[in-house]
Amino acid sequence: MEKKLVIAIDGYSSCGKSTFAKAIARELNYIYIDSGAMYRAVTLYCLRKGLIGRKSIDIDGIKNALKEIHINFIYNPDTGEYETWLNSENVESEIRNIEVSDFVSRISQVPEVRTRMVELQRQIGVFKGVVMDGRDIGTVVFPDADIKIFMTASIDVRAERRYRELRMKGQEVDYQEIKRNITERDRADETRAISPLKKADDAVILDNSEMSVEDQMRWIREIISEKKNAGRNR
Ligand code: DC
């Protein structure tokens, strides 16, 4: 039987991790998990319940809420994509809005939130054949992943891509606000005490500032076939 791989993709905000991860999963027929969507869903829940505000955060309330938060990825045949559900509601679109983006870094710093999300992420990867993207996948969630990629791109390229993506979805957004949000999230993700965003020692860097998705696929195909062959020859 062909060796199934765990592929971990980490990196900065809005550098196309999910587009790339989805394309890989589609090609290999693997499961794709957007770990950022899980932190976003928890953030949405906390915002709705008033557990976090500009100047306040109710840590005990958030810890208790974790029991009530059920996150699923459900296939939507209309879009051909997996979408994020929070309890019994499709929140795929809402978790991408700027309000959730503004609060998600603070929620993802809460240790109990991280412990719970990592536990869920590992359960999903247990059968292998998974592509997961996030900030700590290669360092914490799957330190033994078969392939680890660390993605980056220039801040202007990233802000422009996010701006276009949100405009395409019909959201009224401001370019400077998006750039500010991305810069701030990078800073918060890199400097937080627990599981900060950081390249795993054995990760390969991919700067896709000037690469198309097809360029990136050509690049990863070689890495995948090397890994699969190494598995076969063992
Ligand atoms: O990938 P994203 O931009 O949708 O992620 C949203 C936020 O979630 C990101 O700013 C930091 C947090 N996150 C995290 O802390 N760990 C992960 N594995 C994935 C996301």
Side-chain angles (χ1 to χ4, degrees):
M1 222 173 65
E2 190 169 75
K3 179 176 160 59
K4 290 214 164 191
L5 308 172
V6 171
I7 302 178
I9 301 184
D10 290 302
Y12 292 97
S13 293
S14 301
C15 57
K17 295 186 298 293
S18 68
T19 307
F20 186 41
K22 270 185 212 163
I24 300 170
R26 208 175 297 126
E27 187 156 305
L28 299 178
N29 207 9
Y30 281 11
I31 306 167
Y32 160 64
I33 300 294
D34 175 353
S35 70
M38 299 169 73
Y39 290 96
R40 286 174 179 272
V42 174
T43 303
L44 178 62
Y45 186 94
C46 293
L47 280 167
R48 286 177 175 174
K49 295 277 175 187
L51 297 170
I52 187 165
R54 291 269 159 223
K55 296 208 172 103
S56 62
I57 180 161
D58 175 358
I59 300 284
D60 286 333
I62 295 172
K63 281 194 233 168
N64 283 329
L66 285 171
K67 294 190 278 293
E68 298 153 16
I69 298 178
H70 301 282
I71 301 166
N72 284 299
F73 293 101
I74 299 178
Y75 186 72
N76 178 342
D78 293 337
T79 58
E81 306 240 339
Y82 282 84
E83 294 180 339
T84 315
W85 287 63
L86 169 62
N87 296 332
S88 38
E89 182 189 350
N90 183 338
V91 293
E92 181 58 37
S93 175
E94 202 170 346
I95 57 169
R96 314 280 165 195
N97 72 25
I98 198 86
E99 192 189 13
V100 172
S101 301
D102 270 343
F103 284 92
V104 66
S105 287
R106 278 166 66 208
I107 292 289
S108 56
Q109 280 171 26
V110 178
E112 288 77 5
V113 171
R114 298 210 72 83
T115 305
R116 180 70 188 131
M117 294 305 114
V118 170
E119 189 176 270
L120 294 173
Q121 289 152 11
R122 286 189 183 142
Q123 281 169 12
I124 299 166
V126 108
F127 299 108
K128 297 260 195 153
V130 61
V131 187
M132 195 173 292
D133 75 347
R135 304 294 186 290
D136 60 343
I137 311 304
T139 50
V140 175
V141 182
F142 297 124
D144 297 327
D146 302 282
I147 297 177
K148 297 183 187 178
I149 315 283
F150 189 83
M151 283 178 75
T152 182
S154 79
I155 177 70
D156 287 311
V157 167
R158 292 189 281 140
E160 181 67 36
R161 283 182 189 154
R162 183 63 121 206
Y163 176 75
R164 268 192 267 131
E165 182 187 326
L166 292 174
R167 286 296 291 254
M168 289 257 288
K169 287 185 182 159
Q171 292 192 22
E172 277 296 315
V173 281
D174 175 65
Y175 175 81
Q176 290 305 333
E177 194 185 353
I178 289 182
K179 192 165 164 179
R180 179 201 51 72
N181 171 265
I182 293 175
T183 310
E184 177 47 36
R185 280 199 293 138
D186 285 348
R187 195 201 56 76
D189 294 344
E190 278 185 312
T191 56
R192 70 170 170 240
I194 318 158
S195 314
L197 166 65
K198 138 168 159 289
K199 178 187 154 313
D201 291 338
D202 50 351
V204 194
I205 294 179
L206 171 64
D207 181 334
N208 70 2
S209 303
E210 291 178 19
M211 287 170 89
S212 66
V213 177
E214 195 36 57
D215 294 336
Q216 296 171 64
M217 289 306 291
R218 270 195 288 275
W219 177 85
I220 191 85
R221 274 182 204 121
E222 269 187 41
I223 298 180
I224 291 171
S225 80
E226 267 169 35
K227 265 290 159 195
K228 285 193 170 169
N229 288 334
R232 236 174 254 138
N233 297 336
R234 212 174 279 148

